[in-house]
Amino acid sequence: MFYELYLRSFCDGNGDGIGDLKGAEKKLDYIAELGMEGIWLLPIMQSPAYHGYSVTDFFAINPIYGDLKDLRNFLYGAHKRDLKVILDLPLNHTSPSHEWFLKALDGEKPYCDWYLFLQSEEWLKARRHWDNQQVWSNYSGRWVYALFGPGSPDLNFESPSLWQQIKEVLTFWLSVGFDGFRFDAAKHIFDFSIEKGICEYQHSRNIAFWKEMTSHCRAISPDCLFVSEVWDDARIVDMYSSIFGIGFNFPLAEDLKLAIASRNAESLVKALKTDMQRFFRSKRSYESGTFLTNHDMTRLVSSMNGDRDLALLALTVLLTLPGLPFLYYGEELGMEGVYDEYFNEEQLEPFLWYENGYGPGQTEWKALGKNRPHGGVSIQAQSGIAGSYFERFKNILRFRRDNPWLRFTTIKSISRKKDLVMINLHGSKGNAILYHNTGNSRATLDTTGTPVVINGRLEKQRGRWSMAGLSSAIEVLDGE
């Protein structure tokens, strides 16, 4: 399991109210004790943006987070606890304040080749793939391709010298000690057709680029980890993920949450059969990165309309499936926050260490809108309290940590009986059946074996096993 960490909101190590590397280093034991095997660190490069995805220097750490020594200490501490750390690298674009871009505007070589300048007035008609927004931005009288808006002019990978520059970026961060990368917007390297003057994904060219970059990294570090962000249908995801080794399963995240939020067992079965197709095969060319939320999504409890029992059921379903799970910071507390494309802050609120919202290490870089002091959403209020959301969340994480064989299982079948969903798995421990009760009423399990509860309540009544609503259990049928 990997913990997605937004440094700014996590833990303040120098008293300025902003989360940083020193603060995160102090909390590595906390992350390890949750049962995590790794950390996905959101961008830490120099950037004027709070989110860090528009970079001004790919070789420098944002000074609000610390310096190179702080980073090395953080990585050393993580590795000492057997935690791998991957860095989120947004290589598709830069900040308009980047030195490369400023020199490009001045016409300086090779930088003017590293961005795509308007070559035909017809190109201004091009629109973004998913929402029909314009993709050209005017900077000092010059039009530049900027798919994600004027704060992020795209790099132009038609330039061979840019490929070499990106290799130097990858080499630098690997030399610092990172174990790999999460590549942002992986399918957007080539997404504008110069020949046609329209937005058009060029998947074969994108894959050629990533093959060269990942091969470069593996030559330096053979065990390098890569995770790709490709939000598309299964066929496209397969194309990219086979290169990286791990690919995020976006459809599963959305479909699983919708099914659980509606308490619809039939929808859950359909979602799992559709979005986990590759896990019905024993041979897979890559691993699925499974998740429910991330920095670009509404938080889990908010997705469940505030119902924490539903949120825990969704988590349990996720963590009993094959694949490599990724968990977003603060979800273990039941933090809330609704994603908004134009006010992208609610789901990034400070992690609450203290019930009053203040204390050593507490970040205060932004006001708390959804997760306010004295609301019970803090480590202080929940830690060690039987039945708290945090303790129940930790128990589910502990189950996954104690059953690592689930990661590589094959799904044999998925079925349901009314509100009870059953998933038959085959793995190194043999066969197992997962039971998830999506309804409010108790459900009787048709088994003579001995299932074990994962979340919720399970009882044996008159010789038959009965599971409470919104509960989950597992029954291992045989050994190897």
Side-chain angles (χ1 to χ4, degrees):
M1 292 185 291
F2 270 70
Y3 193 75
E4 183 186 355
L5 182 57
Y6 180 47
L7 210 55
R8 182 185 287 257
S9 285
F10 194 57
C11 184
D12 173 20
N14 62 7
D16 65 358
I18 298 173
D20 49 39
L21 289 161
K22 285 183 178 179
E25 183 188 356
K26 294 176 182 178
K27 299 298 183 180
L28 286 170
D29 282 335
Y30 167 79
I31 295 173
E33 287 166 6
L34 285 178
M36 297 298 144
E37 304 161 90
I39 296 170
W40 160 16
L41 193 61
L42 294 184
I44 61 169
M45 288 73 69
Q46 195 163 297
S47 169
Y50 64 91
H51 50 69
Y53 280 91
S54 53
V55 176
T56 53
D57 189 341
F58 283 107
F59 298 93
I61 299 169
N62 191 327
I64 68 167
Y65 292 145
D67 56 25
L68 198 56
K69 180 181 178 182
D70 296 329
L71 176 58
R72 291 187 187 277
N73 287 340
F74 171 77
L75 293 172
Y76 174 80
H79 293 153
K80 189 177 179 181
R81 293 165 177 81
D82 294 322
L83 292 167
K84 295 186 180 297
V85 186
I86 60 174
L87 175 64
D88 198 321
L89 264 183
L91 297 176
N92 170 259
H93 47 261
T94 71
S95 163
S97 301
H98 198 297
E99 181 184 25
W100 298 349
F101 187 66
L102 297 176
K103 289 184 176 180
L105 289 177
D106 287 337
E108 186 174 334
K109 289 281 190 177
Y111 308 105
C112 59
D113 297 327
W114 290 4
Y115 297 86
L116 183 58
F117 290 90
L118 188 70
Q119 298 175 22
S120 168
E121 291 292 323
E122 285 295 309
W123 287 10
L124 291 174
K125 297 178 182 178
R127 290 294 181 265
R128 204 155 65 176
H129 305 77
W130 60 92
D131 61 3
N132 208 37
Q133 294 293 311
Q134 69 179 46
V135 295
W136 293 92
S137 292
N138 194 312
Y139 305 89
S140 303
R142 301 196 67 186
W143 290 95
V144 181
Y145 183 64
L147 185 73
F148 295 104
S152 305
D154 281 49
L155 287 166
N156 178 24
F157 288 92
E158 300 283 352
S159 170
S161 62
L162 179 58
W163 287 43
Q164 183 57 41
Q165 181 66 68
I166 296 302
K167 288 179 182 178
E168 292 178 19
V169 171
L170 297 169
T171 299
F172 173 76
W173 292 111
L174 287 176
S175 71
V176 172
F178 279 101
D179 299 291
F181 304 102
R182 180 264 191 186
F183 289 121
D184 181 63
K187 70 174 183 178
H188 293 283
I189 297 301
F190 292 99
D191 61 11
F192 184 83
S193 171
I194 293 176
E195 290 76 18
K196 300 177 184 178
I198 62 172
C199 293
E200 182 179 70
Y201 293 120
Q202 299 164 62
H203 296 302
S204 61
R205 299 187 74 194
N206 291 335
I207 288 170
F209 171 82
W210 289 119
K211 277 185 177 180
E212 187 159 333
M213 296 304 141
T214 54
S215 295
H216 171 79
C217 292
R218 289 183 175 118
I220 299 169
S221 177
D223 297 324
C224 205
L225 294 170
F226 307 108
V227 190
S228 62
E229 184 207 22
V230 178
W231 199 325
D232 214 313
D233 64 45
R235 181 182 64 85
I236 301 301
V237 170
D238 286 350
M239 290 168 55
Y240 285 86
S241 300
S242 60
I243 303 302
F244 294 106
I246 304 170
F248 282 129
N249 194 332
F250 282 93
L252 175 67
E254 295 295 344
D255 294 341
L256 195 160
K257 286 184 293 187
L258 285 172
I260 296 295
S262 62
R263 305 179 187 224
N264 191 317
E266 184 178 359
S267 293
L268 179 58
V269 169
K270 181 180 179 181
L272 295 175
K273 285 182 176 180
T274 301
D275 302 331
M276 300 295 286
Q277 286 183 31
R278 65 183 63 87
F279 289 100
F280 284 84
R281 304 187 296 270
S282 58
K283 292 184 179 181
R284 303 190 284 265
S285 59
Y286 66 92
E287 279 200 85
S288 186
T290 58
F291 67 101
L292 291 171
T293 60
N294 64 28
H295 59 285
D296 282 332
M297 302 170 78
T298 293
R299 283 193 174 275
L300 182 58
V301 170
S302 294
S303 294
M304 298 296 130
N305 298 310
D307 191 319
R308 283 167 162 70
D309 289 328
L310 283 177
L312 290 172
L313 176 61
L315 174 74
T316 307
V317 174
L318 183 85
L319 292 188
T320 51
L321 293 172
L324 180 61
F326 289 77
L327 300 164
Y328 187 41
Y329 86 96
E331 294 293 6
E332 69 270 30
L333 300 181
M335 289 177 65
E336 294 196 51
V338 177
Y339 174 78
D340 186 305
E341 181 182 0
Y342 299 104
F343 183 71
N344 185 17
E345 291 188 14
E346 246 186 36
Q347 78 285 2
L348 301 173
E349 288 193 354
F351 187 97
L352 279 173
W353 297 101
Y354 307 97
E355 186 61 3
N356 67 5
Y358 298 93
Q362 182 63 53
T363 63
E364 302 176 38
W365 73 274
K366 72 176 298 294
L368 295 168
K370 284 287 187 180
N371 308 284
R372 296 177 180 178
H374 305 296
V377 187
S378 69
I379 286 290
Q380 188 178 53
Q382 298 189 65
S383 185
I385 305 300
S388 71
Y389 187 87
F390 176 62
E391 292 298 335
R392 292 177 67 190
F393 199 104
K394 280 203 307 180
N395 286 337
I396 300 168
L397 294 181
R398 189 176 298 116
F399 169 80
R400 178 65 182 222
R401 181 197 65 193
D402 294 342
N403 292 275
W405 59 279
L406 288 169
R407 177 176 173 180
F408 300 105
T409 54
T410 300
I411 297 174
K412 297 179 68 177
S413 65
I414 302 174
S415 59
R416 75 178 182 91
K417 182 179 180 182
K418 295 183 179 180
D419 292 329
L420 186 65
V421 174
M422 293 153 286
I423 306 172
N424 195 324
L425 299 176
H426 178 75
S428 61
K429 283 197 172 185
N431 296 319
I433 299 178
L434 297 167
Y435 301 95
H436 300 292
N437 185 358
T438 64
N440 289 322
S441 303
R442 301 190 71 87
T444 300
L445 309 187
D446 294 327
T447 178
T448 57
T450 307
V452 176
V453 69
I454 304 169
N455 172 51
R457 297 186 305 278
L458 177 69
E459 299 172 340
K460 196 170 188 180
Q461 299 176 337
R462 299 177 182 178
R464 303 195 71 179
W465 289 99
S466 173
M467 192 163 66
L470 308 184
S471 296
S472 300
I474 186 171
E475 180 183 359
V476 178
L477 301 177
D478 49 61
E480 290 183 308

